[in-house]
Amino acid sequence: MPLRVFRPLAVLCAAALLAVSACDDGPTAPTSYVQVAGGRAWVAVAEPRGLPRAETWLPYLSPAHRAGVDALRARALRARAAGRPEEALRLEAQALREAAAGVAHAPDAGRMLGALAALEAWTDRARARLDLGAHPELAAAAASVAARAQEARAALAAGDTAAAVRHLSEGTLAARAQSPMAVGLRLLASAEARLQAGAASGATERNARALLLGARAGLASGDSIRALRRAVYALQLLEGAPAPAVVDPAGPFR
């Protein structure tokens, strides 16, 4: 049976305005990053405040369901601490999906509208980047996130909070596929594959391996932007580039 929540329209509108303002990360913070390395452009979009995580829905779970989600979150933390960011990201996504599926009573309107506003803010950031150049992978993610946000808004208007929670969570996962963490992991995989294929030797190989080691440590600790920069530099070394080439002065990996 759908979870339903009813609020006067004026209250919902006021909460929406507050939620949008809460997602403002400041006028000087870069909202997207792009670099060219390994024969392609790598683009990442920073996550606005307010995108839901598993813990966003924890207060609305049954005790038994919450225990399962907490176990996944603990495993994700251990994976990060052990330097396994790929596993951590996978477990965090699983925890969010299971939390969204297990919501037993309706979250408050402010929390729902804050998550919706954050999804729409992410879409605005992605579209601003797409206005500067063609990035098919980002364009596909932006379309997916925008569709999920629209579905969540429609579910909220219909009073079906359970469906809205699921749409918000799936939209968040689509956005996080273009996050600095996720893009950094793809960069690492590309550079590590080149090394395994014997793309470099001697000092170039040693320097590339050192950069990738630092990138992996950065991703495990949450320093995604520094990790992105190191992975890009490693790829550029493997290509024989004499120095890192910043292709977007307004928003490089920095």
Side-chain angles (χ1 to χ4, degrees):
M1 180 177 179
L3 300 176
R4 298 189 179 275
V5 59
F6 301 95
R7 296 287 187 276
L9 181 60
V11 173
L12 289 175
C13 291
L17 289 172
L18 288 172
V20 170
S21 65
C23 288
D24 182 9
D25 289 338
T28 62
T31 58
S32 63
Y33 307 84
V34 65
Q35 274 274 10
V36 171
R40 58 163 290 186
W42 302 86
V43 60
V45 176
E47 182 177 320
R49 290 194 299 270
L51 284 183
R53 298 180 177 276
E55 52 265 36
T56 305
W57 311 129
L58 285 182
Y60 312 100
L61 304 183
S62 69
H65 205 108
R66 176 168 182 159
V69 173
D70 279 339
L72 285 169
R73 293 172 63 223
R75 287 173 59 195
L77 285 173
R78 289 195 296 271
R80 279 188 184 273
R84 301 193 302 272
E86 297 96 337
E87 181 182 350
L89 203 64
R90 177 181 60 78
L91 288 167
E92 287 162 2
Q94 185 180 349
L96 175 56
R97 282 198 171 101
E98 293 202 10
V103 167
H105 59 278
D108 61 89
R111 185 165 300 214
M112 298 292 291
L113 290 168
L116 177 59
L119 269 192
E120 292 175 340
W122 186 93
T123 304
D124 288 343
R125 292 177 175 194
R127 287 173 175 163
R129 170 57 60 189
L130 291 168
D131 286 343
L132 301 176
H135 300 289
E137 192 174 50
L138 178 61
S144 177
V145 174
R148 290 296 189 174
Q150 184 175 4
E151 290 164 348
R153 186 176 289 280
L156 282 173
D160 190 349
T161 310
V165 166
R166 292 193 297 272
H167 291 314
L168 290 169
S169 299
E170 288 300 326
T172 293
L173 291 173
R176 289 197 174 122
Q178 292 299 132
S179 68
M181 168 69 78
V183 174
L185 287 172
R186 294 198 288 273
L187 268 162
L188 273 175
S190 179
E192 289 170 349
R194 285 174 180 245
L195 280 173
Q196 289 174 3
S201 60
T204 298
E205 180 184 4
R206 289 193 298 274
N207 289 337
R209 288 190 184 280
L211 284 165
L212 291 176
L213 187 63
R216 184 167 287 281
L219 289 174
S221 68
D223 192 354
S224 299
I225 301 306
R226 181 175 293 180
L228 281 169
R229 184 177 65 221
R230 288 172 174 170
V232 165
Y233 291 178
L235 268 178
Q236 290 172 340
L237 274 178
L238 295 173
E239 290 179 313
V246 174
V247 298
D248 179 20
F253 292 156
R254 58 182 174 83

